[in-house]
Amino acid sequence: MTRAPARARTFIASALSVTVLLITAACVAYEREVPRALPQGVSEPPAATTPSPSATASPSAVTGRSTPVLNDEQLEAALITEADLGPPWAAAQGPALWRDGTLKATADDGDCRRLLEVLYTEEPFGVPAGPRASVTLDDTAEGTQLREQIGAHGPEDVERALEWLRTLPERCERFRAKTARSGAQDVEVTELPLPDTAGDARAALRVTLTGGGPDGAPARLTVDLAAIRVGEDAIVLTNGGFGEVRAEVTQAMAQLGADRLAEVARQGRLRV
């Protein structure tokens, strides 16, 4: 008899946390007084000066990137944390069991099969070139898991991948998938809108797999996939599970993660 009030308290706390993080993400750009003509999270550049010889020999000149390469420590600083989400979110104890049990799947159609592979590997842009960072967090109330990865990718490659992702709600709106351990699944793909101020370019999907779970009982797995370009780095954010997967959490963390990465990159440019 005491479980219902406890669950209610957990739900209320979770709802309040979501409200706070949404307000926080919405205020980030305003607090930085970012000019409207510039992408959110990027401050007005200083007046142009003649580059010094040391500037021309920066890491960007070596790699061909237009901005300095962020190192592991900088990428780690750009990651979202459990403090950004608040209770009941906590550091993950390991990969979600549904990843291998249900998400490891295939389909007859090439695009749909590739989508399932991307959801499983969490690499819509391929393997990052150079430094990378990631964080995995669990919603201990709902049993869902959120994962953010940041890495360097060529802008043209990212744009091609984003354009492909945007076509999937039509190409793979509904299809049948075969999973490794949970039998056949009915899959539905819909667009997940992201804030226009989240990074320089973005695309996001909500994918649901309905069928049996690994234990044979009826189950419904929901996975949000958000892909965002910030300069010459990219963020991949997944949020999924058999419990309630809140789209507002995915959207708020996409905004916050993009703003934080842009700020870290800006500080990196100022130090070069």
Side-chain angles (χ1 to χ4, degrees), residues 32 70-82 84 132-135 137 146 148-151 228 230 233-237 252-268 271:
R32 292 178 187 160
L70 298 179
N71 58 36
D72 292 325
E73 183 179 352
Q74 290 170 313
L75 292 183
E76 289 282 348
L79 292 169
I80 59 177
T81 69
E82 58 191 282
D84 296 318
R132 68 194 72 178
S134 65
V135 62
L137 304 169
L146 184 148
E148 181 193 22
Q149 298 182 85
I150 307 176
I228 308 159
V230 181
D233 293 294
I235 297 171
V236 179
L237 189 72
M253 290 301 98
Q255 178 73 70
L256 185 60
D259 286 339
R260 189 165 290 168
L261 179 56
E263 179 64 15
V264 169
R266 185 184 74 85
Q267 294 295 333
R271 287 194 292 268

Short mmCIF file of all heavy atoms in Angstrom, two decimals, residues 32 70-82 84 132-135 137 146 148-151 228 230 233-237 252-268 271:
data_model
loop_
_atom_site.label_atom_id
_atom_site.label_comp_id
_atom_site.label_asym_id
_atom_site.label_seq_id
_atom_site.Cartn_x
_atom_site.Cartn_y
_atom_site.Cartn_z
N ARG A 32 23.91 34.01 -22.58
CA ARG A 32 25.18 34.33 -23.21
C ARG A 32 25.08 35.55 -24.11
O ARG A 32 26.06 35.98 -24.69
CB ARG A 32 25.64 33.13 -24.05
CG ARG A 32 26.02 31.94 -23.20
CD ARG A 32 26.41 30.77 -24.07
NE ARG A 32 26.61 29.59 -23.25
CZ ARG A 32 26.58 28.38 -23.71
NH1 ARG A 32 26.35 28.15 -24.97
NH2 ARG A 32 26.76 27.35 -22.91
N LEU A 70 39.38 19.68 -30.69
CA LEU A 70 39.15 19.58 -29.26
C LEU A 70 39.76 18.28 -28.75
O LEU A 70 39.62 17.23 -29.37
CB LEU A 70 37.65 19.61 -28.95
CG LEU A 70 36.91 20.89 -29.36
CD1 LEU A 70 35.43 20.78 -29.02
CD2 LEU A 70 37.52 22.11 -28.69
N ASN A 71 40.42 18.36 -27.61
CA ASN A 71 41.04 17.16 -27.05
C ASN A 71 40.05 16.39 -26.19
O ASN A 71 38.90 16.81 -25.99
CB ASN A 71 42.31 17.52 -26.26
CG ASN A 71 42.03 18.50 -25.13
OD1 ASN A 71 40.97 18.45 -24.49
ND2 ASN A 71 42.98 19.39 -24.87
N ASP A 72 40.50 15.26 -25.64
CA ASP A 72 39.61 14.40 -24.85
C ASP A 72 39.04 15.14 -23.64
O ASP A 72 37.86 15.01 -23.32
CB ASP A 72 40.38 13.16 -24.37
CG ASP A 72 40.74 12.22 -25.51
OD1 ASP A 72 39.94 12.11 -26.45
OD2 ASP A 72 41.81 11.61 -25.46
N GLU A 73 39.89 15.93 -22.97
CA GLU A 73 39.44 16.65 -21.78
C GLU A 73 38.36 17.67 -22.13
O GLU A 73 37.37 17.82 -21.40
CB GLU A 73 40.63 17.34 -21.12
CG GLU A 73 40.28 18.07 -19.84
CD GLU A 73 41.48 18.72 -19.18
OE1 GLU A 73 42.62 18.49 -19.67
OE2 GLU A 73 41.29 19.46 -18.20
N GLN A 74 38.52 18.37 -23.25
CA GLN A 74 37.52 19.35 -23.66
C GLN A 74 36.20 18.68 -24.03
O GLN A 74 35.12 19.18 -23.68
CB GLN A 74 38.06 20.17 -24.84
CG GLN A 74 39.19 21.12 -24.46
CD GLN A 74 39.85 21.73 -25.68
OE1 GLN A 74 40.18 21.02 -26.64
NE2 GLN A 74 40.05 23.04 -25.65
N LEU A 75 36.28 17.57 -24.74
CA LEU A 75 35.05 16.85 -25.10
C LEU A 75 34.34 16.33 -23.86
O LEU A 75 33.11 16.36 -23.79
CB LEU A 75 35.37 15.71 -26.06
CG LEU A 75 35.85 16.10 -27.46
CD1 LEU A 75 36.05 14.86 -28.32
CD2 LEU A 75 34.85 17.04 -28.13
N GLU A 76 35.11 15.86 -22.89
CA GLU A 76 34.51 15.39 -21.64
C GLU A 76 33.77 16.53 -20.94
O GLU A 76 32.68 16.34 -20.39
CB GLU A 76 35.60 14.83 -20.71
CG GLU A 76 36.20 13.50 -21.15
CD GLU A 76 35.29 12.32 -20.84
OE1 GLU A 76 34.32 12.51 -20.09
OE2 GLU A 76 35.56 11.22 -21.36
N ALA A 77 34.35 17.74 -21.00
CA ALA A 77 33.73 18.89 -20.36
C ALA A 77 32.43 19.29 -21.05
O ALA A 77 31.57 19.93 -20.45
CB ALA A 77 34.70 20.07 -20.35
N ALA A 78 32.29 18.92 -22.33
CA ALA A 78 31.10 19.29 -23.09
C ALA A 78 29.93 18.33 -22.88
O ALA A 78 28.80 18.62 -23.28
CB ALA A 78 31.44 19.36 -24.58
N LEU A 79 30.19 17.18 -22.24
CA LEU A 79 29.14 16.18 -22.06
C LEU A 79 28.09 16.64 -21.04
O LEU A 79 28.40 17.35 -20.08
CB LEU A 79 29.74 14.86 -21.59
CG LEU A 79 30.62 14.10 -22.58
CD1 LEU A 79 31.34 12.96 -21.87
CD2 LEU A 79 29.81 13.57 -23.75
N ILE A 80 26.86 16.21 -21.25
CA ILE A 80 25.84 16.41 -20.24
C ILE A 80 26.12 15.49 -19.06
O ILE A 80 26.86 14.51 -19.19
CB ILE A 80 24.43 16.15 -20.81
CG1 ILE A 80 24.32 14.72 -21.33
CG2 ILE A 80 24.09 17.15 -21.89
CD1 ILE A 80 22.94 14.36 -21.85
N THR A 81 25.53 15.78 -17.91
CA THR A 81 25.78 14.98 -16.72
C THR A 81 24.47 14.64 -16.02
O THR A 81 23.42 15.21 -16.34
CB THR A 81 26.68 15.74 -15.72
OG1 THR A 81 25.94 16.84 -15.16
CG2 THR A 81 27.93 16.27 -16.41
N GLU A 82 24.55 13.76 -15.04
CA GLU A 82 23.35 13.43 -14.28
C GLU A 82 22.83 14.63 -13.51
O GLU A 82 21.63 14.74 -13.24
CB GLU A 82 23.65 12.27 -13.32
CG GLU A 82 24.77 12.54 -12.34
CD GLU A 82 25.20 11.29 -11.60
OE1 GLU A 82 24.49 10.88 -10.66
OE2 GLU A 82 26.24 10.72 -11.99
N ASP A 84 22.60 17.60 -14.69
CA ASP A 84 21.76 18.35 -15.61
C ASP A 84 20.33 17.82 -15.63
O ASP A 84 19.38 18.58 -15.84
CB ASP A 84 22.33 18.29 -17.04
CG ASP A 84 23.69 18.96 -17.16
OD1 ASP A 84 23.87 20.03 -16.57
OD2 ASP A 84 24.57 18.39 -17.84
N ARG A 132 37.25 11.51 -28.86
CA ARG A 132 35.81 11.29 -28.68
C ARG A 132 35.51 11.18 -27.19
O ARG A 132 36.40 10.94 -26.38
CB ARG A 132 35.36 10.03 -29.41
CG ARG A 132 35.89 8.75 -28.82
CD ARG A 132 35.74 7.57 -29.73
NE ARG A 132 36.65 7.62 -30.86
CZ ARG A 132 36.74 6.67 -31.79
NH1 ARG A 132 35.93 5.64 -31.74
NH2 ARG A 132 37.60 6.77 -32.76
N ALA A 133 34.25 11.36 -26.83
CA ALA A 133 33.84 11.25 -25.43
C ALA A 133 32.40 10.78 -25.40
O ALA A 133 31.63 11.02 -26.33
CB ALA A 133 34.00 12.59 -24.72
N SER A 134 32.03 10.11 -24.31
CA SER A 134 30.66 9.63 -24.20
C SER A 134 30.26 9.54 -22.73
O SER A 134 31.11 9.49 -21.84
CB SER A 134 30.50 8.26 -24.86
OG SER A 134 31.26 7.28 -24.18
N VAL A 135 28.95 9.54 -22.51
CA VAL A 135 28.40 9.38 -21.17
C VAL A 135 27.11 8.59 -21.30
O VAL A 135 26.37 8.74 -22.27
CB VAL A 135 28.15 10.74 -20.50
CG1 VAL A 135 27.12 11.56 -21.26
CG2 VAL A 135 27.72 10.56 -19.05
N LEU A 137 23.64 7.45 -18.99
CA LEU A 137 22.87 7.74 -17.78
C LEU A 137 21.60 6.90 -17.77
O LEU A 137 21.01 6.64 -18.83
CB LEU A 137 22.51 9.22 -17.71
CG LEU A 137 23.69 10.21 -17.77
CD1 LEU A 137 23.19 11.63 -17.96
CD2 LEU A 137 24.54 10.11 -16.51
N LEU A 146 19.89 6.87 -21.34
CA LEU A 146 20.27 7.95 -22.25
C LEU A 146 21.77 7.91 -22.45
O LEU A 146 22.52 7.75 -21.49
CB LEU A 146 19.83 9.31 -21.67
CG LEU A 146 20.06 10.55 -22.53
CD1 LEU A 146 18.96 11.58 -22.28
CD2 LEU A 146 21.43 11.19 -22.22
N GLU A 148 25.04 9.90 -24.64
CA GLU A 148 25.53 10.98 -25.50
C GLU A 148 26.95 10.66 -25.93
O GLU A 148 27.79 10.28 -25.10
CB GLU A 148 25.51 12.33 -24.77
CG GLU A 148 25.99 13.48 -25.66
CD GLU A 148 26.28 14.75 -24.90
OE1 GLU A 148 26.53 14.67 -23.67
OE2 GLU A 148 26.28 15.83 -25.52
N GLN A 149 27.23 10.84 -27.22
CA GLN A 149 28.58 10.67 -27.75
C GLN A 149 28.95 11.92 -28.56
O GLN A 149 28.13 12.45 -29.30
CB GLN A 149 28.65 9.45 -28.66
CG GLN A 149 28.34 8.14 -27.97
CD GLN A 149 28.48 6.95 -28.90
OE1 GLN A 149 29.56 6.40 -29.10
NE2 GLN A 149 27.38 6.55 -29.49
N ILE A 150 30.20 12.35 -28.43
CA ILE A 150 30.71 13.50 -29.17
C ILE A 150 31.98 13.08 -29.88
O ILE A 150 32.84 12.42 -29.29
CB ILE A 150 31.02 14.70 -28.26
CG1 ILE A 150 29.82 15.06 -27.39
CG2 ILE A 150 31.45 15.90 -29.09
CD1 ILE A 150 30.10 16.17 -26.40
N GLY A 151 32.12 13.45 -31.15
CA GLY A 151 33.32 13.13 -31.90
C GLY A 151 33.45 14.02 -33.12
O GLY A 151 32.51 14.72 -33.51
N ILE A 228 23.29 15.77 -34.17
CA ILE A 228 23.46 17.21 -34.23
C ILE A 228 24.89 17.55 -34.65
O ILE A 228 25.85 16.96 -34.15
CB ILE A 228 23.19 17.84 -32.85
CG1 ILE A 228 21.84 17.40 -32.31
CG2 ILE A 228 23.26 19.37 -32.91
CD1 ILE A 228 21.71 17.54 -30.82
N VAL A 230 27.74 20.45 -34.63
CA VAL A 230 28.18 21.69 -34.00
C VAL A 230 29.56 21.99 -34.55
O VAL A 230 30.55 21.39 -34.13
CB VAL A 230 28.22 21.58 -32.47
CG1 VAL A 230 28.67 22.90 -31.84
CG2 VAL A 230 26.86 21.17 -31.92
N ASP A 233 32.28 19.12 -35.21
CA ASP A 233 32.05 18.01 -34.29
C ASP A 233 30.58 17.64 -34.35
O ASP A 233 29.74 18.41 -34.81
CB ASP A 233 32.43 18.41 -32.85
CG ASP A 233 33.92 18.64 -32.71
OD1 ASP A 233 34.68 17.66 -32.84
OD2 ASP A 233 34.33 19.80 -32.48
N ALA A 234 30.27 16.44 -33.91
CA ALA A 234 28.89 15.96 -33.98
C ALA A 234 28.51 15.27 -32.67
O ALA A 234 29.34 14.64 -32.02
CB ALA A 234 28.71 15.01 -35.15
N ILE A 235 27.24 15.42 -32.32
CA ILE A 235 26.67 14.79 -31.14
C ILE A 235 25.68 13.73 -31.58
O ILE A 235 24.86 13.98 -32.46
CB ILE A 235 25.96 15.81 -30.24
CG1 ILE A 235 26.95 16.85 -29.72
CG2 ILE A 235 25.25 15.12 -29.08
CD1 ILE A 235 26.27 18.02 -29.01
N VAL A 236 25.76 12.57 -30.98
CA VAL A 236 24.75 11.52 -31.17
C VAL A 236 24.14 11.26 -29.80
O VAL A 236 24.84 10.92 -28.85
CB VAL A 236 25.36 10.23 -31.74
CG1 VAL A 236 24.28 9.17 -31.89
CG2 VAL A 236 26.02 10.51 -33.08
N LEU A 237 22.82 11.42 -29.71
CA LEU A 237 22.11 11.26 -28.46
C LEU A 237 21.03 10.20 -28.63
O LEU A 237 20.22 10.30 -29.56
CB LEU A 237 21.48 12.59 -28.05
CG LEU A 237 20.86 12.70 -26.66
CD1 LEU A 237 21.96 12.72 -25.60
CD2 LEU A 237 20.02 13.96 -26.57
N ALA A 252 15.50 18.55 -24.73
CA ALA A 252 16.24 19.46 -23.85
C ALA A 252 17.72 19.11 -23.79
O ALA A 252 18.58 20.00 -23.81
CB ALA A 252 15.63 19.44 -22.45
N MET A 253 18.04 17.83 -23.73
CA MET A 253 19.44 17.42 -23.69
C MET A 253 20.15 17.66 -25.02
O MET A 253 21.35 17.91 -25.06
CB MET A 253 19.55 15.96 -23.26
CG MET A 253 19.19 15.71 -21.81
SD MET A 253 20.23 16.63 -20.62
CE MET A 253 19.18 18.05 -20.26
N ALA A 254 19.41 17.57 -26.12
CA ALA A 254 19.99 17.91 -27.43
C ALA A 254 20.37 19.38 -27.46
O ALA A 254 21.47 19.74 -27.92
CB ALA A 254 18.99 17.59 -28.53
N GLN A 255 19.50 20.25 -26.96
CA GLN A 255 19.80 21.67 -26.92
C GLN A 255 20.96 21.97 -25.97
O GLN A 255 21.91 22.68 -26.32
CB GLN A 255 18.56 22.45 -26.46
CG GLN A 255 18.78 23.96 -26.32
CD GLN A 255 18.88 24.65 -27.66
OE1 GLN A 255 17.90 24.76 -28.38
NE2 GLN A 255 20.07 25.11 -28.00
N LEU A 256 20.90 21.42 -24.76
CA LEU A 256 21.93 21.68 -23.78
C LEU A 256 23.28 21.13 -24.23
O LEU A 256 24.32 21.79 -24.08
CB LEU A 256 21.53 21.06 -22.44
CG LEU A 256 22.46 21.35 -21.25
CD1 LEU A 256 22.56 22.84 -21.00
CD2 LEU A 256 21.98 20.62 -20.01
N GLY A 257 23.28 19.91 -24.79
CA GLY A 257 24.53 19.33 -25.26
C GLY A 257 25.16 20.13 -26.38
O GLY A 257 26.38 20.34 -26.41
N ALA A 258 24.34 20.62 -27.32
CA ALA A 258 24.86 21.43 -28.43
C ALA A 258 25.40 22.75 -27.93
O ALA A 258 26.47 23.21 -28.37
CB ALA A 258 23.75 21.66 -29.46
N ASP A 259 24.70 23.40 -27.02
CA ASP A 259 25.17 24.68 -26.47
C ASP A 259 26.48 24.51 -25.71
O ASP A 259 27.39 25.32 -25.82
CB ASP A 259 24.11 25.27 -25.54
CG ASP A 259 22.93 25.86 -26.29
OD1 ASP A 259 23.07 26.17 -27.49
OD2 ASP A 259 21.85 25.99 -25.68
N ARG A 260 26.56 23.43 -24.94
CA ARG A 260 27.77 23.20 -24.14
C ARG A 260 28.96 22.91 -25.05
O ARG A 260 30.07 23.41 -24.82
CB ARG A 260 27.53 22.05 -23.18
CG ARG A 260 28.63 21.86 -22.16
CD ARG A 260 28.16 20.96 -21.03
NE ARG A 260 27.17 21.64 -20.20
CZ ARG A 260 26.43 21.02 -19.28
NH1 ARG A 260 26.56 19.72 -19.09
NH2 ARG A 260 25.57 21.70 -18.55
N LEU A 261 28.75 22.12 -26.11
CA LEU A 261 29.85 21.84 -27.04
C LEU A 261 30.29 23.11 -27.76
O LEU A 261 31.48 23.34 -27.96
CB LEU A 261 29.41 20.77 -28.04
CG LEU A 261 30.44 20.37 -29.10
CD1 LEU A 261 31.74 19.89 -28.47
CD2 LEU A 261 29.86 19.29 -30.02
N ALA A 262 29.33 23.95 -28.17
CA ALA A 262 29.66 25.20 -28.85
C ALA A 262 30.47 26.11 -27.93
O ALA A 262 31.42 26.78 -28.36
CB ALA A 262 28.39 25.90 -29.32
N GLU A 263 30.11 26.14 -26.65
CA GLU A 263 30.84 26.98 -25.70
C GLU A 263 32.26 26.47 -25.48
O GLU A 263 33.21 27.25 -25.41
CB GLU A 263 30.07 27.03 -24.38
CG GLU A 263 30.75 27.86 -23.30
CD GLU A 263 30.87 29.34 -23.65
OE1 GLU A 263 30.19 29.78 -24.60
OE2 GLU A 263 31.65 30.03 -22.98
N VAL A 264 32.41 25.15 -25.36
CA VAL A 264 33.75 24.58 -25.20
C VAL A 264 34.61 24.88 -26.43
O VAL A 264 35.78 25.24 -26.31
CB VAL A 264 33.66 23.06 -24.96
CG1 VAL A 264 35.04 22.41 -25.07
CG2 VAL A 264 33.06 22.77 -23.59
N ALA A 265 34.02 24.77 -27.62
CA ALA A 265 34.76 25.08 -28.85
C ALA A 265 35.13 26.55 -28.90
O ALA A 265 36.23 26.92 -29.34
CB ALA A 265 33.92 24.70 -30.07
N ARG A 266 34.23 27.43 -28.47
CA ARG A 266 34.51 28.87 -28.46
C ARG A 266 35.68 29.17 -27.53
O ARG A 266 36.58 29.93 -27.87
CB ARG A 266 33.27 29.64 -28.02
CG ARG A 266 33.43 31.16 -28.09
CD ARG A 266 32.20 31.87 -27.56
NE ARG A 266 32.13 31.78 -26.12
CZ ARG A 266 32.75 32.62 -25.29
NH1 ARG A 266 33.50 33.60 -25.79
NH2 ARG A 266 32.64 32.49 -23.99
N GLN A 267 35.67 28.58 -26.33
CA GLN A 267 36.76 28.79 -25.40
C GLN A 267 38.07 28.25 -25.96
O GLN A 267 39.13 28.83 -25.76
CB GLN A 267 36.44 28.11 -24.06
CG GLN A 267 35.28 28.72 -23.30
CD GLN A 267 35.54 30.14 -22.86
OE1 GLN A 267 36.68 30.54 -22.66
NE2 GLN A 267 34.47 30.92 -22.73
N GLY A 268 37.99 27.14 -26.69
CA GLY A 268 39.18 26.59 -27.33
C GLY A 268 39.76 27.54 -28.35
O GLY A 268 40.98 27.71 -28.46
N ARG A 271 41.71 30.41 -26.79
CA ARG A 271 43.01 30.06 -26.23
C ARG A 271 44.07 29.80 -27.27
O ARG A 271 45.24 29.64 -26.96
CB ARG A 271 42.86 28.84 -25.31
CG ARG A 271 42.17 29.14 -23.99
CD ARG A 271 42.36 28.00 -23.02
NE ARG A 271 41.64 26.81 -23.44
CZ ARG A 271 40.40 26.53 -23.05
NH1 ARG A 271 39.75 27.36 -22.27
NH2 ARG A 271 39.81 25.43 -23.46
#
